[in-house]
Amino acid sequence: EKEEPTSTRLPLTSIQGVPFLKYFADNWKEVESFQARPDDLLISTYPKAGTTWTSEIVDLILNNGDVEKTKRDAIYIRVPFLEFAVPGLPSGTELLVNAPSPRFIKTHLPVKLLPRTFWENNCKIIYVARNAKDVAVSYYYFNKMVMVHPDPGTWDDFLENYMAGEVSYGSWYDHVKGWWEKRKYQRILYLFYEDMKEDPKREIRKVLQFMEKDLGEEILEKIAHHTTFEKMKDNLMTNYKTLPNNVMNQEVSPFMRKGIAGDWKNQFTVAQNERFDEDYERNMAGSSLHFRTEI
Ligand code: A3P
């Protein structure tokens, strides 16, 4: 019989100054001592940047575009979430320890919290970044529907907390800039959600090259077709509908919500946008990292 999760919304705690879900923090020792393998492929993102999308692309590439093979299990089993730990569900580290190589691993950890064995083993990492405004909106609805997150309050409350880095995983700025800097020294493919929306095949080609795979135009076409927002919204193995409502309540907001660039325009007031832009300038000053907030 399936064990019912007994989790609840708890205030955030912190790991080395980074705001963290209490349940995840309780399992931190397992994450910190995680043993990466040289052939692990890590998919790293700040939450809501396109993790699930990229994970499905990567798994399809490994399986040479065979859609049936990627239907073998839900995305959170095929690509375990390293630091995930919620009562009643298998933790990321539990799923990963006995998984056969090559493993795909998902994480939202900022650079400074990534277990050091990933660096020591020179693991390949795909980092996906998405513009701060669309992430804010997506993260707000996600906090509402994922029942282990603190209640985000009103949109205005949440936006203030997000700007201050007082949300799970902390500052979006620190995250995207930290990984941007790290790419100079490690095997990191740094992708942008907006580029993936603009030209999926161009970006999938980059992933293919990074994974040292050559599958040909027809399979590339097939992968792009299978990983559109509409396809993934309808796919039970990618839309998270296999999780119980008391973990993820998709009646509040679907996981596959809108899947576009520029939805922030439907959410930000003019005043919020001005305030956000000012703060953004301050935080990104001097950085060579540039985002598009629409395409
Ligand atoms: P929205 O809430 O803006 O719709 P993550 O997987 O990192 O949690 O990111 C989730 C976001 O990516 C959601 O954004 C979701 O709709 C979007 N998304 C998921 N699959 C997608 C796809 N195939 N194409 C475009 N966007 C996708």
Side-chain angles (χ1 to χ4, degrees):
E1 197 163 295
K2 205 168 161 189
E3 193 182 345
E4 282 299 317
T6 53
S7 52
T8 184
R9 295 185 184 274
L10 294 172
L12 295 174
T13 178
S14 131
I15 304 238
Q16 294 172 40
V18 179
F20 232 71
L21 294 179
K22 172 76 171 61
Y23 293 123
F24 287 19
D26 290 344
N27 190 50
W28 182 246
K29 274 204 160 43
E30 298 298 319
V31 178
E32 211 174 19
S33 61
F34 182 73
Q35 291 302 309
R37 304 175 193 156
D39 57 356
D40 285 341
L41 177 66
L42 185 68
I43 299 166
S44 170
T45 57
Y46 188 84
K48 311 322 290 172
T51 330
T52 315
W53 186 9
T54 309
S55 299
E56 184 70 357
I57 290 170
V58 161
D59 192 37
L60 272 165
I61 291 175
L62 177 84
N63 288 291
N64 304 315
D66 187 334
V67 171
E68 287 315 309
K69 285 197 178 146
T70 59
K71 291 198 171 150
R72 70 191 181 280
D73 222 328
I75 194 70
Y76 50 84
I77 303 292
R78 287 181 283 142
V79 184
F81 181 7
L82 178 63
E83 66 272 20
F84 179 86
V86 166
L89 292 170
S91 70
T93 47
E94 275 167 0
L95 287 174
L96 285 163
V97 73
N98 292 318
S101 292
R103 298 182 298 189
F104 294 143
I105 306 174
K106 157 187 164 178
T107 189
H108 293 315
L109 293 174
V111 163
K112 74 168 182 183
L113 291 183
L114 192 74
R116 59 184 171 76
T117 51
F118 283 100
W119 310 127
E120 289 167 0
N121 283 292
N122 194 26
C123 297
K124 284 188 188 178
I125 302 173
I126 300 177
Y127 186 81
V128 189
R130 185 183 190 185
N131 80 77
K133 292 180 186 178
D134 282 333
V135 166
V137 176
S138 185
Y139 209 9
Y140 171 62
Y141 288 101
F142 189 71
N143 272 263
K144 280 208 216 198
M145 65 92 126
V146 178
M147 295 306 163
V148 295
H149 280 263
D151 189 316
T154 66
W155 158 244
D156 200 54
D157 292 339
F158 180 81
L159 188 60
E160 286 301 318
N161 287 333
Y162 175 79
M163 284 164 64
E166 286 160 11
V167 293
S168 174
Y169 294 105
S171 159
W172 174 91
Y173 299 101
D174 290 349
H175 209 283
V176 297
K177 288 193 294 188
W179 282 95
W180 181 246
E181 185 61 23
K182 199 72 180 172
R183 88 191 193 293
K184 296 177 189 160
Y185 313 103
Q186 297 283 339
R187 294 203 290 177
I188 298 171
L189 175 68
Y190 201 106
L191 299 176
F192 294 89
Y193 180 97
E194 294 75 22
D195 293 350
M196 291 168 65
K197 272 310 278 192
E198 181 181 64
D199 190 343
K201 284 206 283 178
R202 179 188 64 206
E203 301 307 305
I204 295 169
R205 264 189 215 104
K206 290 183 191 168
V207 179
L208 277 162
Q209 199 179 14
F210 189 66
M211 291 174 70
E212 296 165 71
K213 280 278 223 171
D214 187 3
L215 297 179
E217 201 58 25
E218 205 176 311
I219 291 179
L220 173 64
E221 193 75 52
K222 197 169 153 190
I223 294 173
H225 176 73
H226 183 74
T227 54
T228 61
F229 175 73
E230 289 70 24
K231 283 276 178 193
M232 286 185 59
K233 189 180 171 80
D234 283 344
N235 180 353
L236 204 56
M237 294 298 119
T238 54
N239 64 16
Y240 280 88
K241 285 197 180 155
T242 46
L243 283 180
N245 264 7
N246 57 356
V247 174
M248 217 182 238
N249 188 346
Q250 301 211 30
E251 279 159 29
V252 173
S253 175
F255 182 89
M256 294 290 172
R257 199 182 57 89
K258 287 200 180 172
I260 57 171
D263 185 44
W264 62 272
K265 290 178 200 165
N266 301 312
Q267 187 77 32
F268 281 65
T269 64
V270 172
Q272 284 168 343
N273 192 40
E274 281 174 4
R275 200 174 133 62
F276 194 91
D277 283 346
E278 260 176 47
D279 185 61
Y280 189 94
E281 290 305 319
R282 253 195 313 278
N283 277 287
M284 296 299 275
S287 174
S288 60
L289 181 53
H290 297 292
F291 284 87
R292 292 187 288 168
T293 53
E294 58 190 310
I295 50 173

